[in-house]
Amino acid sequence: PNVAIERIDSDSISKKGSLGEILNRFRKGEIQILVGTQMVSKGLDFGDVTLVGVVAAETSLWIPDFRADERTFQLLTQVAGRAGRSEKEGEVIIQTQNQKHFVLQ
């Protein structure tokens, strides 16, 4: 109950510079949990991140695009790579209702 949580999505960071402010606060340890959309899956390198969770991982598989499988796999791989980037070991939890889908296996 005593941890700082911040949200990162297109609605919450509409003010110019707000994404950088949030990420700097996260880097300093002022924020312990980031909840976000695909925005948090790419290009972030924080050594203290030890846990990444993905909720409803199969959602992007429903997009009517022949590349949906590949894009879902790439996104999951990218977000999984955010955990355990330094000496601390990382863990990734993927929540799905379709665990038999080859992309999610």
Side-chain angles (χ1 to χ4, degrees), residues 6-9 12 33-41 53 79:
E6 193 66 54
R7 185 177 127 198
I8 295 181
D9 56 45
S12 67
I33 299 174
L34 284 180
V35 177
T37 58
Q38 295 178 16
M39 299 175 96
V40 297
S41 68
V79 76

Side-chain angles (χ1 to χ4, degrees), residues 8 15 17 24 39 46 68-69 77 81 87 105:
I8 295 181
K15 189 176 112 183
N24 282 331
M39 299 175 96
F46 297 106
D69 293 344
T77 302
E87 297 84 37
Q105 288 189 5

Side-chain angles (χ1 to χ4, degrees), residues 64-100:
D65 181 351
F66 71 94
R67 296 170 294 207
D69 293 344
E70 181 181 352
R71 290 184 177 178
T72 300
F73 180 79
Q74 288 175 340
L75 181 61
L76 291 172
T77 302
Q78 285 176 333
V79 76
R82 303 305 105 203
R85 295 182 67 88
S86 66
E87 297 84 37
K88 296 179 181 179
E89 196 169 307
E91 181 178 1
V92 180
I93 299 172
I94 297 176
Q95 181 256 347
T96 181
Q97 294 182 14
N98 193 4
Q99 71 256 17
K100 295 191 181 200

Side-chain angles (χ1 to χ4, degrees), residues 8 17-31 34 46:
I8 295 181
S18 59
L19 177 60
E21 289 176 23
I22 292 170
L23 294 177
N24 282 331
R25 290 178 47 219
F26 185 69
R27 184 178 311 280
K28 293 176 188 174
E30 297 170 8
I31 299 170
L34 284 180
F46 297 106

Side-chain angles (χ1 to χ4, degrees), residues 46-67:
F46 297 106
D48 288 338
V49 174
T50 57
L51 178 64
V52 169
V54 179
V55 178
E58 71 278 355
T59 304
S60 58
L61 292 171
W62 303 333
I63 297 171
D65 181 351
F66 71 94
R67 296 170 294 207

